[in-house]
Amino acid sequence: MPFFRRQSLKTQLLVIVFLALLLPAAAMFYDIFFAAKTDDVLIHATDKKLTRIANLVHDQVRRELKSYPGNSQPLEEVFTAVTDPLIKHYPGVRICLYDKDSGDITILGYLHEFGTRLPEEKKERERRIYNETKAGINAVLASGNAISRLGKTYDDQFLERLVPLQINSRTIAVIWAEEMMHPIFARSSRMRLVIRYVILGVFGLGIAASLATIFGLVRRINIIKDGTVKLEQNLNYALPQMPGEMGQITSAINKMARGLIEKEQLIDQYRRSENLIAMGRTITEIAHELRAPVSVIQAAAQAMALNFQDLPRLDEYIQQIDRQVERHSKLINELLDFGRPDPGTIEKMDINELIKSVLTANEPLISKTGIKLNYPSAGHKPLVIQGNAEKLKQVFTNLIINALEAMRQNGVLTIESHAAGEQVAVSVRDTGEGIPPEDLPNIFEPFYTKKAGGNGLGLAICKRIVQIHGGSIEVKSVKGSGSEFIVSLPLYERDVMAVE
Ligand SMILES: Nc1ncnc2c1ncn2[C@@H]1O[C@H](COP(=O)(O)OP(=O)(O)OP(=O)(O)O)[C@@H](O)[C@H]1O
Ligand SMILES: [Mg+2]
C-alpha cells in the first residue's frame, strides 16, 4: 500500500479504474463468448442423441399399438418390450413413460452408469423422478409438442427430451429420454458462478479502493488547507511531508514560506542599515557641535588653574571639570567613531602584533585592577590580515575594557588567536558576571548599556569596524561565569615571518 501511495495520482487512478472495470469486463467477455458457447455445444450434442432415442421409442411404441388395434396389452408392457433392448446400447440414458390415464410411471435405465447411489424403494424413486420431470410432462401435455429441457437431480444436471404419444389425435402418454450432462457442463457452470463472484469481489474492491483514495485525497487536502491557515498566522509553521503530488505541493508551499521569511529578514536588515546610516550622519553632526564647547571648557579650566592658583579648593574643582571633560571627550570620540563607517587607511599587519600593542597600551589599567592576564603569546606565528590598525586596536581595546569592567579582583582575562580556514579568530574571554540570555540580542545595539557611566556604544562600534573589514563578531556567555567575544577577520596570509 505505501508503494501504491507513492505513485502519482494519475497512476493511482488508472490502476483503480483498470482493476474496477477492465478485469470484470474481461471476465464477462469470457463468460459471454466462451463459457456460454461451450454449454451450447454440449447441450446441442446431447439433445440430438436424446431426440433420436425418444423418437425411436415413440415411433416403435406407436407402431406396436397401431398394428394391433384391439390389442389389450397394457401400454407399460409395450413400452418395456420396445425400450429394454435399447437400454443396453445407451448406458447412462434413462428412458421413461408417463401414462396419462393411470398416472403411472415406468422407468428403464439409470442416469449413473453404476445404478443409483442411494438404496431407495422403487416407488420412492418413481415419485422423485416424476417430481423432477413434472414441469416438462405438463408442458408437453398442454401443448401436444415435443420439448427438450434441462433438469436437476439432487446432485447434478441432466437434459431430457419429452415426446407426446398420440393415438387418434389424443395424447395418451409422454415418453422421454434423459441423460446426465457431461461433467464439464457442471464444471463450466460452476466456473461461471465462480467468475461472477470474482467479478463481484473485484467490483467491491475497486469501489473500496476508490473510496479509500478519495478519502485519502480529501484528508490530505484538508491538512494542506489547515496548514495554509496556520501559515498565514505564522510563517515559521511547516506543512507536513506527504507522498506524491500532494507532497510536491506542501514542499512548494514550505519553500515559498521560507522565501518570504528570508525576504522579510532582508527587508528588516536593509531598513536597519538605512536607519544606522541616517543615525550615523546625525550623530556625527551632533558630535562635531559638542566638540567645540568642550574644548573651550577645557581651555578655560586650564587658564583658571594658572591664574587663580591661590584660591582655596580650586584644584578640586579643576579636577572635577577635567573628569567631566574627559568623559565628554570619550563620548564625542565614540560618537564620531560610530558615525563614521569609513575604514580609513588599509595596511597589512600581523594580528598578534596588533593584540600585543593593545595589551601594552592597556597594561597600566590591567595591572591596576589586579586581574590576571592570560595571553599565550609564545610560539605565535604571524597571522596577517589587511585593515586599519587604529580602528582594529579600538575593537580589542573596547572588548578588553568591557571584560575588565565585568570582572572583580581575582578574574582572568584570556586572549587567544588562531587561523580557522580562511579566517583569523581572536577570542577575548573573561571570568566576569556574564550576560543574561535576554540581554544577548541587544548588546550590539547602539546606546544599549547596563552600566551607570556607560554610553552603550563600545560593542556597536566594534561590530561596525569588524563588519567594514569583512569580518564578524559573536558572543558566548553564561550568566555568572563569564563571557567570550570572538572576532573573525579574513586571513590575508598565514605563517609569514616578516610583515611589511
Ligand atoms: N565582557 C562583558 N561581560 C558582561 N557584560 C558585558 C560584557 N561586554 C558587554 N557587556 C554588556 O553589554 C553592554 C553593552 O556594552 P557596550 O560596550 O556596548 O557598552 P558599555 O560598555 O555599557 O558602554 P561604553 O559605550 O562605555 O562601552 C554593557 O552595558 C554590558 O551590560
Ligand atoms: Mg563598553
Side-chain angles (χ1 to χ4, degrees):
M1 220 41 192
F3 170 76
F4 180 68
R5 257 195 269 127
R6 242 179 284 132
Q7 305 306 309
S8 73
L9 198 61
K10 196 170 143 200
T11 318
Q12 288 184 27
L13 289 175
L14 277 178
V15 170
I16 288 165
V17 167
F18 179 78
L19 278 175
L21 298 177
L22 284 189
L23 278 186
M28 276 179 189
F29 185 81
Y30 171 79
D31 194 22
I32 293 163
F33 290 99
F34 285 96
K37 281 261 157 46
T38 336
D39 289 355
D40 284 352
V41 171
L42 279 172
I43 291 173
H44 187 69
T46 314
D47 190 37
K48 222 168 140 186
K49 179 179 159 190
L50 293 175
T51 306
R52 211 173 54 238
I53 298 170
N55 287 348
L56 191 70
V57 175
H58 168 270
D59 293 352
Q60 280 202 28
V61 171
R62 201 158 180 271
R63 207 177 304 129
E64 288 290 322
L65 290 177
K66 277 204 162 172
S67 51
Y68 306 102
N71 196 347
S72 58
Q73 203 183 4
L75 176 61
E76 184 194 331
E77 275 176 30
V78 175
F79 171 78
T80 310
V82 168
T83 311
D84 229 10
L86 281 176
I87 289 300
K88 287 180 205 76
H89 282 95
Y90 296 106
V93 175
R94 194 160 66 187
I95 304 170
C96 316
L97 171 87
Y98 171 74
D99 189 332
K100 189 189 166 194
D101 295 332
S102 65
D104 285 346
I105 282 189
T106 311
I107 302 159
L108 292 171
Y110 297 96
L111 285 185
H112 302 92
E113 274 179 56
F114 305 105
T116 43
R117 281 175 206 157
L118 297 167
E120 53 181 348
E121 292 294 325
K122 193 167 165 276
K123 278 281 161 210
E124 231 174 86
R125 184 176 176 236
E126 281 172 5
R127 199 174 336 116
R128 180 175 56 78
I129 290 172
Y130 172 72
N131 282 336
E132 284 168 5
T133 313
K134 196 162 72 187
I137 295 171
N138 290 339
V140 171
L141 287 177
S143 68
N145 294 325
I147 58 160
S148 298
R149 68 184 275 274
L150 267 173
K152 239 171 119 55
T153 65
Y154 52 90
D155 65 346
D156 241 322
Q157 276 189 303
F158 60 83
L159 186 73
E160 54 190 11
R161 174 74 185 174
L162 298 107
V163 184
L165 180 64
Q166 290 175 329
I167 302 287
N168 301 329
S169 310
R170 194 178 80 86
T171 304
I172 61 158
V174 177
I175 291 169
W176 75 94
E178 53 193 3
E179 189 179 24
M180 299 288 296
M181 285 306 297
H182 192 282
I184 207 168
F185 176 80
R187 226 179 290 150
S188 88
S189 41
R190 250 200 310 277
M191 187 65 192
R192 262 182 293 157
L193 202 71
V194 169
I195 286 171
R196 278 174 199 148
Y197 278 123
V198 168
I199 293 171
L200 212 71
V202 172
F203 259 119
L205 269 180
I207 288 168
S210 310
L211 285 178
T213 310
I214 290 166
F215 281 125
L217 268 177
V218 171
R219 192 175 54 81
R220 279 180 254 166
I221 288 170
N222 277 337
I223 292 175
I224 295 176
K225 193 187 77 193
D226 296 345
T228 46
V229 173
K230 282 184 194 155
L231 257 179
E232 216 180 327
Q233 291 151 4
N234 173 18
L235 273 180
N236 284 312
Y237 177 80
L239 291 176
Q241 296 286 327
M242 283 181 196
E245 278 97 339
M246 295 291 169
Q248 286 168 2
I249 294 174
T250 53
S251 342
I253 294 175
N254 285 342
K255 208 171 150 195
M256 214 166 72
R258 278 200 302 275
L260 277 175
I261 293 172
E262 276 166 24
K263 219 177 217 165
E264 271 187 7
Q265 281 171 348
L266 275 177
I267 292 172
D268 201 43
Q269 255 176 27
Y270 176 75
R271 255 194 230 121
R272 282 158 66 90
S273 62
E274 283 284 288
N275 288 346
L276 275 177
I277 290 169
M279 194 160 79
R281 245 181 258 126
T282 319
I283 283 171
T284 317
E285 280 166 21
I286 296 171
H288 269 294
E289 291 302 314
L290 284 176
R291 201 164 25 197
V294 170
S295 311
V296 174
I297 294 168
Q298 202 170 16
Q302 276 166 4
M304 266 165 67
L306 276 176
N307 298 324
F308 303 102
Q309 281 171 356
D310 304 333
L311 280 179
R313 295 183 65 198
L314 181 73
D315 270 0
E316 199 184 314
Y317 296 129
I318 297 285
Q319 270 173 20
Q320 260 186 36
I321 291 171
D322 274 349
R323 271 202 302 276
Q324 292 309 314
V325 164
E326 206 179 304
R327 247 192 87 188
H328 273 266
S329 302
K330 181 181 168 252
L331 173 62
I332 288 162
N333 287 337
E334 280 189 349
L335 287 173
L336 284 171
D337 283 334
F338 180 73
R340 225 185 282 126
D342 170 29
T345 326
I346 297 290
E347 54 192 331
K348 271 190 254 172
M349 73 196 84
D350 173 9
I351 194 104
N352 290 321
E353 289 302 324
L354 185 108
I355 294 166
K356 263 188 231 164
S357 71
V358 171
L359 287 173
T360 312
N362 286 290
E363 221 278 321
L365 191 68
I366 298 171
S367 48
K368 200 170 77 187
T369 53
I371 279 161
K372 189 179 168 240
L373 174 68
N374 181 17
Y375 178 54
S377 60
H380 264 161
K381 286 181 180 167
L383 295 169
V384 180
I385 57 152
Q386 256 192 327
N388 182 305
E390 283 315 307
K391 288 205 179 277
L392 289 172
K393 273 183 193 169
Q394 202 185 340
V395 170
F396 295 109
T397 307
N398 283 355
L399 293 179
I400 289 167
I401 290 173
N402 275 351
L404 295 178
E405 285 171 351
M407 288 188 285
R408 290 179 202 285
Q409 287 259 311
N410 50 358
V412 182
L413 171 67
T414 308
I415 300 175
E416 283 167 339
S417 64
H418 65 273
E422 299 293 298
Q423 302 267 305
V424 170
V426 181
S427 142
V428 179
R429 196 165 66 239
D430 64 61
T431 54
E433 61 194 20
I435 305 165
E438 63 273 18
D439 288 348
L440 279 176
N442 305 318
I443 57 169
F444 291 102
E445 296 297 321
F447 306 111
Y448 182 85
T449 181
K450 292 205 124 181
K451 294 172 195 166
N455 299 318
L457 279 169
L459 287 179
I461 292 168
C462 288
K463 191 176 172 183
R464 272 210 138 181
I465 295 174
V466 170
Q467 275 179 346
I468 57 177
H469 280 81
S472 61
I473 180 165
E474 61 171 306
V475 58
K476 292 175 192 165
S477 185
V478 178
K479 191 169 162 36
S481 52
S483 314
E484 181 182 13
F485 286 80
I486 301 157
V487 174
S488 300
L489 291 164
L491 182 64
Y492 183 75
E493 268 173 68
R494 194 198 297 219
D495 296 351
V496 176
M497 293 310 290
V499 180
E500 300 151 35

